[in-house]
Structures are given as C-alpha cells and as structure tokens.
C-alpha cells in the first residue's frame, strides 16, 4: 500500500510539471515587457521613450497576464495530459471539455439556489469569474481536481469500443460521455463542500504565514529534503499558485500565490513595493551560490590523483546549477553516499530564505541566474532589494564551503573523488567526460541499448516518462536494475528505486534520452499497454 501511495504521488508530482514548466515562460516574457514600460529605466535609457517599444512592452505584459488568471484551466489540461497513460492528446482535449461543463454546471446550480453574489462586488464573497462565468473561487485547485478525475476516467475507459452504429461513441467520446454526469454531480457537490474546504485552506495558509521565519525555514528545508522522493514539487507549488502563498489585489484583479502575485506586480507600474509573499519563491540562494561552495569543497577534499576527474564532472554541474537552477546533478553526487551533507544542505537552504526575509529582500531566482537577471534587475533596487540577495548568496557560498569541507574531512565522507580504489564508482577523465557528453548531447540514441541493459532488458520496462531532469520508469522487476552500469556507462547522476518506480537522473537532456529510449524499445503505445 505504501508503495502504491508513493507511486501515485510521484506520478502526480510528475504530471504537475506539464503546467508548472510553462508558467515561468509567461513570467519571463512579462518581465521583458516590463523592461520596455518601466518608468525608472526609461528615464535612464532615453531611446526606450517611444510609442513603439512602450506599446510592445505593454501588449506583451497584458497578453500574458491572462495566463495567470486562468490557471485552473491550464492545470486541468496539463495534469490530464501528464497522468494519461496513452492517447494523451485526447485526454487533454477531454480536460478542456470537462472544465467547461463544470463551471457552467456550477454556475447554473448556484443560480437555482439563489446564492450568486453581485458580480460587481465579488471581493470577499468566495466567488470569482472563471472564463467569464461566476462560480465559487476554487482557484488552481479546481484544475488539479478536474485534471486528476479526467485522467482516471480516461485511463479506465479510453479503450472502450462498440460495434455497428454505436462504434462512433467509443474511445475518447465514451470517456466524455462517462465524465458528464460525474462532473455535473461534482459541480453540485462542491457548492456545498468547497466553502468548508476553502475555510480550512485559508486557515492553514494563515498558520504557515503567521509562523513567521520558522514557517519559512520549514518550507525551504522540506522543498530540498523531499527531492529524493520526487515529491518536492508538492511543497512549493501550492505556495506559488494558490492562496496558501498569499492573496493580493493588483490593478483591480485578485491574484493568488506568490509567483502569480509577483508576475502581476512587475507588470503593474503603480506597484512600488513587492508583496512579502514573494519570499515563498526566493529559493535560489542554494542553487546559485550554496551548491557552488559545496562543489569547491568536494573538489578540494578529493584525492590528488582524482582532482582532474572531479573537476570535469563538477564544473558542468555547478555551471548548470548557477545558470539554470538545476541542482540534482550536484545533489545526487553526495545525497546517498553522504546523506548528512544532504540534510545540512536542506537546512541551509531553509535558513537562506529566512535571512532574505529578515533583511527584507524581495528578489527571486528560482531557476538560476538567468531568471534572477530577468525578474529583478529591471525592477530596480527599491522594489526588490536584489543586492541583498547577492550578498546573502556570497555568505552562504562561504558557509556551504566551510561546513562541507569540515564534515567531509572530519567524518571521512566518501564524496566524489574520495572513493576507495576497490569501489565500483568510476570517475571519468576530462577527455572521457567530454566524449560521453558529446554522445549524450548529439547522439543519445547510442545510449539506449546500455540504458535498457541497465534497466533489466526491454521486457522489464512497463512505462517510460520524464520530468525536468529525471527519466521516470515503471519496471516489472526493479531489482534487475544495474545502478553501476547506468552511472558508469550512461553518466546517470543518480538512481532512485521505490517499489516498481525507478528514477534515473540525467539532467536537462533527459527529454531526448526518453524519446530515443522509446524508439529503441518500441512504440510508446506498446510500452504503456
């Protein structure tokens, strides 16, 4: 039962990536639009003071803000797509239909009950306009709930077929037929249930926010500590996109969640001070600075004969963490061989967020230095206090370096480059690494046979998927996994086994690895059956 629950949560966590990874793109483009309309910047750069660039920036920001105000639909489609085991496009399309059925069904039932509030003054009523339809304000939770339900019904009934005149009602059409009564009843039920749930959510958010720095510390620590399980996305996502992360009225519209509020604020020239809730998205200190100090400590404590090999591995990993915020290649280098370091890393990550809050910084860099530049610099020092972020980052670089180096040497931890000669872990020379990296970047299909061998053969693979950095697999016999083969011959950064669910960490090139692996073992439909 525990394995089934964990497996289900991991699938859900992976599915959350579909909508979540799209949203930063909208945020970056809103920030770019803000560059062309920022009054303080225009004063310093006179050539920006013209109707063409200002108009372009205004249109860019305005056109993307609706993405933030329609997160329910985005999450519904994304989660249905991510959880669907086959025919994902049909699942996504059914998600759109189901979402429309729900909001109109709820609106009509609320009208029949006579509980629709005055549409001109919805603030504080617990109701909102969704795609122009007045319903209970369920926010992103509506999309998450409907996405899961659509996926469950889709997976169960998508293969249903009929003969003769009824055959046109099979497949995705039958899924929709089954969904209609479920969604209508759900819409009716939630008119009674959701106000109670919403009250509980608001209370929980209040408890966390009123916990002050302890709440921030706990949040930041858990967001790192749960990485081995793949469930860390379930920690930060509610704070970024639901009322748990705060609520603010900006430009006449109500926004929920730290990141939504941030994006809305940077697009509004009338906002002079960013909301305190932004701190929930200030998770970049450990990525941009802390783990770089950890890499330096691991390099300097490596055996002299291994330092060139360690450098070849850690430099690309450190660069990726700093620029793009992808930390798993570094974290998996010490997570299992020296778990105490990972606990320390999680504690320091939470502590860094507390320090930022204490000094009033509202700068964010959730996905590395590129995000940091695009989100914060155009807004200026007054709004974000971004220099504090840099200073705190440098302090934590030193802390990570000193603590990691002390623990590695004092406890003789077997971090990268310190393994015994008899151990299976293999370190590559710079030449070996570059050759393997070239293979990984340009010809990943060459790795597929080795990956399949490391996974116990093609017949052992039930399903193949991926998230941001991990190849996510369901295997018939996970005990057949050859971890050393995957690490040594395919440059996997780590292998996590939890029941039938196996995660192999590769980094940003994992989508290409997944595609080529699917081609190698056969068609996706065959694997997923």
């Amino acid at each position: 039962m525990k394995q089934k629950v964990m497996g289900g949560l991991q699938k859900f966590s992976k599915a959350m990536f579909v909508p979540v990874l799209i949203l930063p793109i909208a945020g970056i483009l809103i920030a770019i639009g803000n560059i062309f309309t920022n009054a303080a910047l225009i004063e310093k750069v006179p050539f920006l003071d013209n109707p063409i660039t200002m108009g372009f920036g205004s249109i860019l920001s305005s056109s993307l803000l609706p993405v933030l105000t329609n997160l329910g639909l985005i999450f519904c489609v994304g989660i249905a797509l991510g959880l669907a085991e086959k025919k994902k496009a049909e699942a996504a399309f059914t998600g759109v239909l189901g979402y429309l059925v729900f909001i109109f069904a709820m609106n009509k039932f609320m009208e029949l009950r006579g509980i629709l509030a005055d549409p001109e003054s919805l603030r504080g009523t617990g109701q909102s306009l969704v795609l122009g339809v007045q319903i209970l304000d369920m926010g992103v939770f509506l999309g998450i709930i409907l996405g899961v339900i659509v996926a469950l019904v889709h997976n169960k009934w998508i293969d249903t077929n009929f003969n003769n005149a009824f055959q046109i009602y099979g497949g995705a059409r039958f899924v929709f037929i089954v969904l209609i009564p479920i969604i209508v009843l759900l819409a009716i039920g939630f008119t009674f249930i959701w106000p109670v749930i919403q009250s509980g959510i608001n209370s929980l958010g209040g408890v966390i926010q009123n916990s002050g720095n302890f709440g921030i510390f706990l949040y930041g620590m858990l967001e790192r500590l749960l990485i081995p399980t793949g469930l860390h996305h379930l920690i930060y996502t509610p704070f970024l996109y639901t009322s748990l992360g705060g609520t603010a009225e900006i430009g006449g519209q109500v926004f929920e969640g730290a990141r939504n509020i941030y994006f809305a604020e940077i697009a509004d020239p009338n906002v002079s001070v960013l909301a305190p809730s932004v701190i929930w998205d200030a998770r970049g200190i450990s990525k941009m600075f802390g783990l770089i100090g950890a890499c330096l400590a691991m390099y300097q404590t490596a055996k002299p004969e291994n330092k060139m090999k360690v450098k070849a591995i850690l430099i690309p990993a450190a660069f990726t963490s700093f620029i793009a915020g992808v930390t798993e290649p570094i974290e998996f280098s010490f997570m299992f061989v020296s778990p105490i370091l990972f606990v320390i890393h999680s504690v320091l990550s939470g502590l860094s967020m507390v320090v930022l809050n204490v000094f009033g910084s509202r700068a964010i860099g959730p996905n590395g230095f590129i995000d940091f530049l695009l989100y914060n610099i155009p807004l200026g020092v007054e709004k974000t206090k971004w220099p504090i972020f840099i200073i705190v980052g440098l302090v934590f670089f030193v802390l990570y370096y000193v603590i990691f180096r002390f623990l590695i040497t004092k406890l003789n931890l077997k971090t990268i480059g310190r393994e015994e000669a008899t151990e299976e872990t293999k370190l590559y020379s710079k030449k070996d690494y570059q050759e393997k990296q070239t293979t990984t970047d340009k010809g990943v299909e060459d790795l597929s046979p080795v990956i399949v061998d490391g996974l116990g053969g093609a017949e052992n693979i039930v399903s193949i998927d991926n998230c941001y950095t991990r190849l996510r697999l369901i295997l018939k016999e996970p005990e057949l996994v050859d971890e050393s083969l995957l690490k040594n011959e395919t440059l996997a950064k780590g292998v996590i086994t939890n029941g039938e669910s196996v995660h192999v960490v590769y980094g940003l090139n994992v989508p290409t690895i997944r595609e080529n692996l699917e081609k190698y073992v056969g068609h996706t439909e065959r694997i997923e059956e």
Side-chain angles (χ1 to χ4, degrees):
M1 178 60 70
K2 179 181 178 182
Q3 290 182 355
K4 286 183 178 180
V5 171
M6 287 296 294
L9 287 174
Q10 287 176 343
K11 286 182 180 179
F12 176 72
S13 177
K14 179 263 299 182
M16 291 282 279
F17 257 103
V18 178
V20 165
L21 290 182
I22 289 296
L23 297 176
I25 298 174
I28 289 172
L29 292 176
I30 289 173
I32 292 173
N34 182 70
I35 292 174
F36 294 104
T37 58
N38 187 290
L41 187 62
I42 290 174
E43 287 181 5
K44 298 177 182 178
V45 187
F47 77 84
L48 292 177
D49 189 8
N50 66 82
I52 296 177
T53 57
M54 292 179 67
F56 169 76
S58 178
I59 292 171
L60 188 62
S61 297
S62 299
S63 63
L64 287 163
L65 275 177
V67 173
L68 308 183
T69 55
N70 292 286
L71 287 179
L73 177 60
I74 292 170
F75 271 78
C76 177
V77 174
I79 289 176
L81 177 71
L83 290 178
E85 295 175 356
K86 58 179 68 175
K87 298 183 179 178
K88 293 177 177 287
E90 286 92 334
F93 178 62
T94 305
V96 175
L97 298 177
Y99 192 85
L100 294 174
V101 170
F102 183 96
I103 62 175
F104 279 94
M106 176 175 275
N107 174 265
K108 178 55 67 174
F109 186 71
M110 291 174 66
E111 179 185 332
L112 293 174
R113 288 185 63 200
I115 61 173
L116 287 175
D118 181 359
E120 299 298 324
S121 55
L122 293 178
R123 179 73 169 168
T125 65
Q127 300 178 21
S128 65
L129 291 176
V130 177
L131 299 179
V133 182
Q134 186 174 333
I135 62 171
L136 291 176
D137 185 8
M138 297 180 66
V140 73
F141 289 107
L142 172 57
I144 293 173
I145 293 167
L146 288 182
V148 171
I149 291 173
V150 168
L152 290 174
V153 176
H154 173 89
N155 290 337
K156 184 172 180 61
W157 301 104
I158 189 61
D159 291 326
T160 301
N161 292 301
F162 301 102
N163 296 321
N164 303 323
F166 292 98
Q167 68 183 47
I168 63 170
Y169 298 108
R173 289 165 293 281
F174 185 71
V175 170
F176 182 54
I177 292 171
V178 174
L179 268 173
I180 291 174
I182 295 175
I183 289 178
V184 170
L185 290 174
L186 201 67
I188 293 172
F190 268 119
T191 61
F192 299 100
I193 298 170
W194 188 254
V196 178
I197 296 175
Q198 186 62 58
S199 176
I201 292 173
N202 291 337
S203 298
L204 177 60
V207 169
I208 294 174
Q209 292 177 20
N210 293 330
S211 298
N213 289 324
F214 176 75
I216 294 172
F217 168 76
L218 195 62
Y219 166 86
M221 181 181 70
L222 290 176
E223 191 267 335
R224 291 290 91 190
L225 203 58
L226 289 178
I227 280 181
T229 68
L231 302 180
H232 52 300
H233 317 301
L234 303 184
I235 294 293
Y236 67 78
T237 301
F239 284 86
L240 300 191
Y241 302 111
T242 78
S243 56
L244 279 176
T247 302
E249 184 174 347
I250 303 162
Q253 285 187 301
V254 177
F255 293 86
E256 294 181 343
R259 183 167 292 181
N260 298 333
I261 293 171
Y262 181 86
F263 289 160
E265 286 179 330
I266 66 176
D268 190 338
N270 296 318
V271 175
S272 58
V273 180
L274 298 181
S277 62
V278 169
I279 193 65
W280 301 115
D281 208 12
R283 299 170 291 121
I285 293 293
S286 63
K287 299 178 181 182
M288 292 170 54
F289 299 97
L291 286 176
I292 313 303
C295 285
L296 180 61
M298 287 188 286
Y299 167 72
Q300 291 194 342
T301 55
K303 295 179 179 180
E305 64 271 21
N306 291 332
K307 283 194 172 183
M308 284 299 295
K309 303 174 184 180
V310 173
K311 186 190 297 184
I313 294 173
L314 290 182
I315 287 179
F319 181 79
T320 303
S321 178
F322 180 77
I323 293 295
V326 178
T327 60
E328 288 179 322
I330 300 175
E331 290 164 334
F332 276 85
S333 69
F334 61 80
M335 182 183 294
F336 297 112
V337 294
S338 306
I340 186 174
L341 294 180
F342 187 68
V343 173
I344 295 296
H345 163 51
S346 302
V347 170
L348 289 175
S349 182
L351 186 61
S352 69
M353 293 182 62
V354 173
V355 174
L356 287 177
N357 188 55
V358 168
F359 286 99
S361 173
R362 296 294 174 254
I364 66 172
N367 295 307
F369 189 64
I370 295 176
D371 274 7
F372 177 82
L373 290 177
L374 289 174
Y375 290 157
N376 304 300
I377 304 302
L379 296 180
V381 175
E382 185 177 351
K383 277 190 178 182
T384 64
K385 297 184 180 179
W386 60 262
I388 293 177
F389 189 97
I390 299 293
I391 294 171
V392 172
L394 293 174
V395 170
F396 272 82
F397 167 84
V398 175
L399 281 176
Y400 267 80
Y401 170 75
V402 171
I403 294 174
F404 268 59
R405 178 160 185 164
F406 172 78
L407 290 176
I408 290 170
T409 53
K410 186 73 174 178
L411 303 178
N412 192 27
L413 301 177
K414 301 301 182 182
T415 51
I416 189 168
R418 292 173 59 83
E419 304 90 347
E420 299 297 334
T422 57
E423 291 180 0
E424 292 184 353
T425 303
K426 177 183 176 183
L427 288 172
Y428 291 87
S429 68
K430 188 172 184 179
K431 181 179 178 181
D432 291 336
Y433 180 84
Q434 290 173 337
E435 289 176 352
K436 187 70 75 173
Q437 194 67 28
T438 300
T439 302
T440 302
D441 293 339
K442 298 181 180 179
V444 182
E445 63 273 6
D446 295 335
L447 296 179
S448 296
V450 184
I451 294 175
V452 169
D453 289 342
L455 296 174
E459 65 282 354
N460 195 37
I461 302 173
V462 177
S463 69
I464 302 172
D465 215 322
N466 72 277
C467 65
Y468 199 34
T469 57
R470 305 183 189 189
L471 191 64
R472 293 179 175 236
L473 309 118
I474 302 296
L475 303 182
K476 294 177 182 177
E477 299 181 66
E479 61 273 11
L480 297 180
V481 172
D482 188 338
E483 186 172 335
S484 63
L485 178 65
L486 292 172
K487 287 183 176 180
N488 294 340
E489 299 301 326
T490 71
L491 280 189
K493 278 77 174 180
V495 179
I496 307 171
T497 301
N498 190 347
E500 296 178 345
S501 177
V502 176
H503 296 183
V504 187
V505 181
Y506 282 107
L508 294 177
N509 58 347
V510 72
T512 306
I513 291 176
R514 174 188 59 79
E515 290 174 6
N516 288 317
L517 184 60
E518 287 178 340
K519 292 176 183 177
Y520 179 77
V521 300
H523 295 296
T524 306
E525 294 293 335
R526 184 185 69 78
I527 298 170
E528 295 174 338
E529 288 176 355

